[in-house]
Amino acid sequence: MRRIPYRFEKSEASWSAVRSQGAGGQNVNKVATAVRLVFDIRASSLPERIKQRLLALRDRRISSEGVIAIKSEVHRTQEQNLEDALERLSALVEEASLVPEPRIPTRPTKASRVRRRRAKAARSAIKQSRRRVTDF
């Protein structure tokens, strides 16, 4: 795997605090300050190849307009939730920047060459038998 070089600017992602309660309003003491991180792929300074790969990724966090929305609502401080969301966003960009190496074509193995030769001989034998039937 090789990586497409890029510079990920965390300042391009905007975030907002969302108040979140757990368990349908119960446990009032466990109210967490959730963070919703929004990153516009098309408006970012990422290379065009990474933008295309991000848009092609099958991820429910990426909308059809090219906006990534990540919500982090673990019961922690707002700063920790923001760091968690930024880490998940950078992991998503990292995944899009990895490109598999092209496969190097190899020579056919001896077994596959023998198998191919036998199949070819069988096909030609069938053709010969068909010709003999119509030769009278």
Side-chain angles (χ1 to χ4, degrees):
M1 295 279 230
R2 65 184 178 84
R3 229 181 89 197
I4 302 170
Y6 69 93
R7 282 187 53 127
F8 176 65
E9 298 292 331
K10 292 182 178 180
S11 60
E12 292 178 352
S14 62
W15 66 277
S16 60
V18 182
R19 295 296 286 175
S20 170
Q21 278 184 218
Q26 303 163 1
N27 299 337
V28 181
N29 297 335
K30 291 194 174 184
V31 174
T33 304
V35 171
R36 185 170 186 271
L37 189 72
V38 178
F39 180 75
D40 190 1
I41 297 171
R42 292 193 171 99
S44 69
S45 63
L46 292 172
E48 197 60 38
R49 287 172 53 194
I50 294 181
K51 288 181 186 179
Q52 295 303 319
R53 289 178 60 88
L54 273 172
L55 291 169
L57 274 179
R58 291 186 177 271
D59 198 314
R60 59 181 176 79
R61 298 173 291 186
I62 302 173
S63 70
S64 58
E65 293 86 38
V67 176
I68 301 173
I70 297 175
K71 188 175 182 185
S72 180
E73 54 180 336
V74 182
H75 293 294
R76 294 182 298 196
T77 65
Q78 184 173 319
E79 292 80 21
Q80 288 171 329
N81 277 333
L82 178 60
E83 283 302 313
D84 178 52
L86 283 170
E87 282 176 24
R88 289 196 275 158
L89 176 63
S90 60
L92 199 62
V93 174
E94 178 73 26
E95 180 185 337
S97 73
L98 290 175
V99 181
E101 292 290 335
R103 189 180 159 279
I104 300 169
T106 56
R107 290 181 58 204
T109 61
K110 185 165 185 174
S112 67
R113 288 193 304 243
V114 167
R115 202 177 319 119
R116 201 174 294 123
R117 191 169 49 238
R118 285 185 183 153
K120 193 173 180 181
R123 282 196 305 272
S124 66
I126 291 171
K127 287 179 185 175
Q128 287 294 326
S129 68
R130 285 182 185 152
R131 282 194 201 120
R132 278 191 219 116
V133 170
T134 58
D135 281 351
F136 51 88

